[in-house]
Amino acid sequence: MNEGIYEVSVSELFKAILKKWWAVVIAVVIGALIAFAYTQYLVVPMYKSTAILGVHTTDDSTNSVTDANFGYVISRDCATVITGNVVLQKAADNLNAYDFPENNGNRFRKEYNVKILESMVSAQSTVDSKYFTVAVTSPDADEAKVVAEKVIEAFCEGVSKDDLLAKGGAEGKVVDRPEKGALISPNKTLNTLVGAVVGALLSCIAIIIAHFASNRLQSEEWLIANFGDSIPLLAVIPDASSTEYRYDHKYYSSKKNN
């Protein structure tokens, strides 16, 4: 071995970690509990309500092929327009006049504007399809549904009647209406699992650092591997906890009595 070079074997690291397996188990449990508690009590849950809209031609003279081709093109524009200022401002005006119900039977109103709705509403068109999806995310499942309904209403009553669709011989129709928002985050199971994995990794790293920072002689093999013949090995004190060197209790007791 070259002087000043410390060789590290995978088996040595594995043995060091295995020797402290109880510390790894404790770290896994603590990491999982911390992640679960954080997810349960500190992370705000988010809900999503989605709806599907389609673009259909209103001219009876057009055939199904023309209807489909027109829908492919215009659905992308509709997905962009429904998240634009015109639609969102109209939706905000309608929402500001809407009374949300409370658990105690009372009703209350919320203040909305374009910026607030921009952070809640998203739309995406499907490739080669005349349908597009509108999604609303909110920390309140009922609010997500109401906002989605008002945005769709603003789009169908406003944009569907202007030059974008009406003069093109088309109209927007709701194919799938929004339902009460479904929980999309956080994922408690995944977060708990991640916390357990992080706890295991941190404990293993700590054990390895402590192993190499220790000034104690590790084993006979460790001395030979790292110092070779430069340090003569005079004797080895066996590990009393090891089954390899453990005396039989009964035999030892009988010898002691004799």
Side-chain angles (χ1 to χ4, degrees):
M1 175 183 173
N2 297 330
E3 185 177 356
I5 299 178
Y6 185 80
E7 295 181 353
V8 179
S9 65
V10 176
S11 62
E12 180 183 354
L13 299 180
F14 180 76
K15 289 178 180 178
I17 295 173
L18 189 61
K19 190 175 181 180
K20 299 289 186 181
W21 63 268
W22 52 269
V24 177
V25 172
I26 293 175
V28 167
V29 174
I30 292 176
L33 289 176
I34 292 175
F36 177 81
Y38 174 79
T39 304
Q40 179 72 20
Y41 300 107
L42 297 180
V43 178
V44 178
M46 296 299 294
Y47 300 87
K48 177 184 285 188
S49 179
T50 60
I52 300 176
L53 283 76
V55 178
H56 303 272
T57 57
T58 56
D59 188 353
D60 295 335
S61 63
T62 59
N63 55 39
S64 59
V65 176
T66 304
D67 181 27
N69 292 335
F70 178 80
Y72 296 158
V73 177
I74 206 66
S75 64
R76 293 177 300 174
D77 297 332
C78 290
T80 301
V81 171
I82 202 170
T83 57
N85 291 340
V86 175
V87 174
L88 294 185
Q89 183 59 62
K90 183 175 180 59
D93 295 338
N94 294 338
L95 286 167
N96 289 333
Y98 182 82
D99 294 323
F100 287 89
E102 289 183 336
N103 294 332
N104 57 12
N106 297 328
R107 303 185 73 87
F108 68 99
R109 293 186 179 183
K110 295 184 178 181
E111 291 294 331
Y112 292 90
N113 55 46
V114 173
K115 288 191 175 297
I116 292 176
L117 293 182
E118 282 179 345
S119 64
M120 300 174 64
V121 182
S122 62
Q124 183 178 6
S125 61
T126 305
V127 178
D128 295 335
S129 174
K130 59 183 178 180
Y131 301 103
F132 62 99
T133 302
V134 179
V136 176
T137 57
S138 169
D140 186 299
D142 294 319
E143 180 187 30
K145 176 185 178 181
V146 173
V147 172
E149 290 175 342
K150 295 301 180 182
V151 169
I152 293 172
E153 179 182 326
F155 173 78
C156 292
E157 291 184 356
V159 177
S160 292
K161 296 180 180 179
D162 68 7
D163 293 342
L164 180 63
L165 294 180
K167 292 184 178 180
E171 64 178 353
K173 291 185 177 180
V174 180
V175 179
D176 188 10
R177 302 201 66 84
E179 300 291 339
K180 184 176 180 178
L183 181 67
I184 58 172
S185 68
N187 189 326
K188 295 180 182 178
T189 302
L190 178 60
N191 289 358
T192 302
L193 180 61
V194 171
V197 172
V198 171
L201 291 176
L202 291 179
S203 63
C204 290
I205 293 173
I207 291 171
I208 292 173
I209 293 175
H211 175 74
F212 289 113
S214 175
N215 293 325
R216 298 174 57 189
L217 300 179
Q218 305 297 331
S219 64
E220 178 182 352
E221 293 78 10
W222 182 85
L223 283 173
I224 295 174
N226 290 277
F227 296 98
D229 297 331
S230 61
I231 297 179
L233 184 62
L234 302 179
V236 176
I237 301 175
D239 184 1
S241 63
S242 174
T243 56
E244 183 179 356
Y245 300 104
R246 186 175 298 164
Y247 292 105
D248 183 83
H249 179 70
K250 295 181 179 178
Y251 175 79
Y252 180 76
S253 299
S254 63
K255 286 290 187 179
K256 184 176 180 181
N257 293 334
N258 293 336

Coordinates of all heavy atoms in Angstrom, one line a residue, residues 133-170:
T133 N -59.7 21.1 -22.5 CA -59.9 21.0 -21.1 C -59.7 22.2 -20.3 O -58.7 22.9 -20.5 CB -59.1 19.8 -20.5 OG1 -59.3 18.6 -21.2 CG2 -59.4 19.6 -19.0
V134 N -60.6 22.5 -19.4 CA -60.4 23.7 -18.5 C -60.3 23.1 -17.0 O -61.1 22.3 -16.6 CB -61.6 24.6 -18.6 CG1 -61.4 25.8 -17.6 CG2 -61.8 25.2 -20.0
A135 N -59.3 23.6 -16.3 CA -59.0 23.1 -15.0 C -58.9 24.2 -14.0 O -58.3 25.3 -14.4 CB -57.8 22.2 -14.9
V136 N -59.5 24.1 -12.8 CA -59.4 25.1 -11.8 C -58.8 24.4 -10.5 O -59.4 23.4 -10.1 CB -60.7 25.8 -11.5 CG1 -60.6 26.8 -10.3 CG2 -61.2 26.5 -12.7
T137 N -57.8 25.0 -9.9 CA -57.2 24.5 -8.7 C -57.5 25.5 -7.6 O -57.4 26.7 -7.8 CB -55.7 24.3 -8.8 OG1 -55.1 25.5 -9.2 CG2 -55.4 23.2 -9.8
S138 N -57.8 24.9 -6.4 CA -58.1 25.8 -5.2 C -57.9 25.0 -4.0 O -58.1 23.7 -4.0 CB -59.6 26.3 -5.3 OG -60.0 26.9 -4.1
P139 N -57.6 25.6 -2.8 CA -57.6 24.9 -1.5 C -59.0 24.5 -1.0 O -59.1 23.8 0.0 CB -56.9 25.9 -0.6 CG -57.2 27.3 -1.2 CD -57.2 27.0 -2.7
D140 N -60.0 24.9 -1.7 CA -61.4 24.6 -1.4 C -62.0 23.8 -2.5 O -62.1 24.3 -3.7 CB -62.2 25.8 -1.1 CG -63.6 25.5 -0.5 OD1 -64.4 24.9 -1.2 OD2 -63.9 26.0 0.6
A141 N -62.5 22.6 -2.3 CA -63.1 21.8 -3.3 C -64.3 22.4 -3.9 O -64.5 22.3 -5.2 CB -63.4 20.4 -2.7
D142 N -65.2 23.0 -3.1 CA -66.4 23.6 -3.7 C -66.1 24.9 -4.5 O -66.7 25.1 -5.5 CB -67.3 23.9 -2.5 CG -67.9 22.7 -1.8 OD1 -68.2 21.7 -2.5 OD2 -68.0 22.7 -0.6
E143 N -65.1 25.6 -4.0 CA -64.7 26.8 -4.7 C -64.2 26.5 -6.1 O -64.5 27.2 -7.1 CB -63.7 27.6 -4.0 CG -63.2 28.9 -4.7 CD -62.1 29.6 -4.0 OE1 -61.3 28.9 -3.4 OE2 -62.0 30.8 -4.1
A144 N -63.4 25.4 -6.2 CA -62.9 25.0 -7.5 C -64.0 24.7 -8.5 O -63.9 25.1 -9.7 CB -62.0 23.7 -7.3
K145 N -65.0 24.1 -8.1 CA -66.1 23.8 -9.0 C -66.9 25.1 -9.4 O -67.2 25.3 -10.6 CB -67.1 22.8 -8.3 CG -68.4 22.6 -9.1 CD -69.4 21.7 -8.3 CE -70.7 21.5 -9.1 NZ -71.7 20.7 -8.4
V146 N -67.1 26.0 -8.4 CA -67.9 27.2 -8.7 C -67.1 28.1 -9.7 O -67.6 28.6 -10.7 CB -68.2 28.0 -7.4 CG1 -68.8 29.3 -7.7 CG2 -69.1 27.2 -6.5
V147 N -65.8 28.2 -9.5 CA -65.0 29.0 -10.3 C -65.0 28.4 -11.7 O -65.1 29.2 -12.7 CB -63.5 29.2 -9.8 CG1 -62.6 29.8 -10.8 CG2 -63.5 29.9 -8.5
A148 N -64.8 27.1 -11.8 CA -64.8 26.5 -13.2 C -66.2 26.8 -13.9 O -66.2 27.0 -15.1 CB -64.6 25.0 -13.0
E149 N -67.3 26.7 -13.2 CA -68.6 26.9 -13.8 C -68.7 28.4 -14.3 O -69.2 28.6 -15.4 CB -69.7 26.6 -12.8 CG -69.8 25.2 -12.5 CD -70.9 24.9 -11.4 OE1 -71.2 25.9 -10.6 OE2 -71.4 23.8 -11.2
K150 N -68.2 29.3 -13.5 CA -68.3 30.7 -13.8 C -67.4 31.1 -15.0 O -67.7 31.9 -15.9 CB -68.0 31.6 -12.6 CG -69.0 31.5 -11.5 CD -70.4 31.9 -11.9 CE -71.4 31.7 -10.8 NZ -72.8 32.1 -11.2
V151 N -66.2 30.5 -15.1 CA -65.3 30.7 -16.2 C -65.9 30.2 -17.5 O -65.9 30.8 -18.5 CB -63.9 30.1 -15.9 CG1 -63.1 30.1 -17.2 CG2 -63.2 30.8 -14.8
I152 N -66.5 29.0 -17.4 CA -67.1 28.4 -18.6 C -68.3 29.2 -19.0 O -68.5 29.4 -20.2 CB -67.5 26.9 -18.3 CG1 -66.3 26.0 -18.1 CG2 -68.4 26.4 -19.4 CD1 -66.6 24.7 -17.6
E153 N -69.1 29.6 -18.1 CA -70.2 30.5 -18.4 C -69.8 31.8 -19.1 O -70.4 32.2 -20.0 CB -71.0 30.8 -17.1 CG -72.2 31.7 -17.2 CD -72.8 32.0 -15.9 OE1 -72.8 31.1 -15.0 OE2 -73.4 33.1 -15.7
A154 N -68.8 32.4 -18.6 CA -68.3 33.6 -19.2 C -67.8 33.4 -20.6 O -68.0 34.2 -21.5 CB -67.1 34.2 -18.3
F155 N -67.2 32.3 -20.8 CA -66.7 31.9 -22.2 C -67.8 31.7 -23.1 O -67.8 32.2 -24.2 CB -65.7 30.7 -22.1 CG -65.3 30.2 -23.4 CD1 -64.3 30.8 -24.1 CD2 -65.9 29.1 -24.0 CE1 -63.9 30.3 -25.4 CE2 -65.6 28.6 -25.2 CZ -64.5 29.2 -25.9
C156 N -68.8 30.8 -22.7 CA -69.9 30.5 -23.6 C -70.8 31.7 -23.9 O -71.3 31.8 -25.0 CB -70.7 29.3 -23.0 SG -69.8 27.8 -22.9
E157 N -71.0 32.6 -22.9 CA -71.9 33.7 -23.1 C -71.2 34.8 -23.9 O -71.8 35.7 -24.5 CB -72.4 34.2 -21.8 CG -73.4 33.2 -21.1 CD -73.9 33.8 -19.9 OE1 -73.5 34.9 -19.5 OE2 -74.8 33.1 -19.3
G158 N -69.9 34.9 -23.7 CA -69.2 36.0 -24.3 C -68.4 35.7 -25.6 O -68.8 36.0 -26.7
V159 N -67.4 34.9 -25.5 CA -66.5 34.6 -26.6 C -67.2 33.8 -27.7 O -66.9 34.0 -28.9 CB -65.2 33.9 -26.1 CG1 -64.3 33.6 -27.3 CG2 -64.4 34.8 -25.1
S160 N -68.0 32.9 -27.2 CA -68.7 32.0 -28.2 C -69.6 32.8 -29.1 O -70.0 32.3 -30.2 CB -69.5 30.9 -27.5 OG -68.6 30.0 -26.9
K161 N -70.0 34.0 -28.8 CA -70.9 34.8 -29.6 C -70.2 35.9 -30.4 O -70.8 36.6 -31.1 CB -72.0 35.4 -28.7 CG -72.9 34.4 -28.0 CD -73.9 35.1 -27.1 CE -74.8 34.0 -26.5 NZ -75.8 34.6 -25.6
D162 N -68.9 36.0 -30.2 CA -68.2 37.1 -30.9 C -67.5 36.5 -32.2 O -67.8 35.4 -32.6 CB -67.1 37.8 -30.0 CG -66.0 36.9 -29.7 OD1 -65.9 35.8 -30.2 OD2 -65.1 37.3 -28.8
D163 N -66.6 37.3 -32.8 CA -66.0 36.9 -34.0 C -65.2 35.6 -34.0 O -65.1 34.9 -35.0 CB -65.0 38.0 -34.5 CG -65.8 39.3 -34.9 OD1 -67.0 39.2 -35.0 OD2 -65.2 40.3 -34.9
L164 N -64.7 35.2 -32.8 CA -63.9 34.0 -32.7 C -64.7 32.7 -33.2 O -64.1 31.9 -33.9 CB -63.4 33.8 -31.3 CG -62.5 32.5 -31.1 CD1 -61.2 32.6 -31.9 CD2 -62.2 32.4 -29.6
L165 N -65.9 32.6 -32.8 CA -66.7 31.4 -33.1 C -67.9 31.7 -33.9 O -68.2 31.1 -34.9 CB -67.1 30.7 -31.8 CG -66.0 30.1 -31.0 CD1 -66.5 29.4 -29.8 CD2 -65.1 29.1 -31.8
A166 N -68.7 32.7 -33.5 CA -70.0 33.0 -34.1 C -69.9 33.2 -35.6 O -70.6 32.7 -36.4 CB -70.7 34.1 -33.4
K167 N -69.0 34.1 -36.0 CA -68.9 34.5 -37.4 C -68.2 33.4 -38.2 O -68.1 33.4 -39.4 CB -68.1 35.8 -37.5 CG -68.9 37.0 -37.0 CD -68.2 38.3 -37.3 CE -69.1 39.5 -36.7 NZ -68.4 40.8 -37.0
G168 N -67.6 32.4 -37.5 CA -67.0 31.3 -38.2 C -68.0 30.1 -38.3 O -67.6 29.0 -38.7
G169 N -69.2 30.3 -37.9 CA -70.2 29.3 -38.0 C -70.0 28.2 -36.9 O -70.2 27.0 -37.3
A170 N -69.6 28.6 -35.7 CA -69.3 27.5 -34.7 C -69.8 28.0 -33.3 O -70.1 29.2 -33.2 CB -67.8 27.2 -34.7

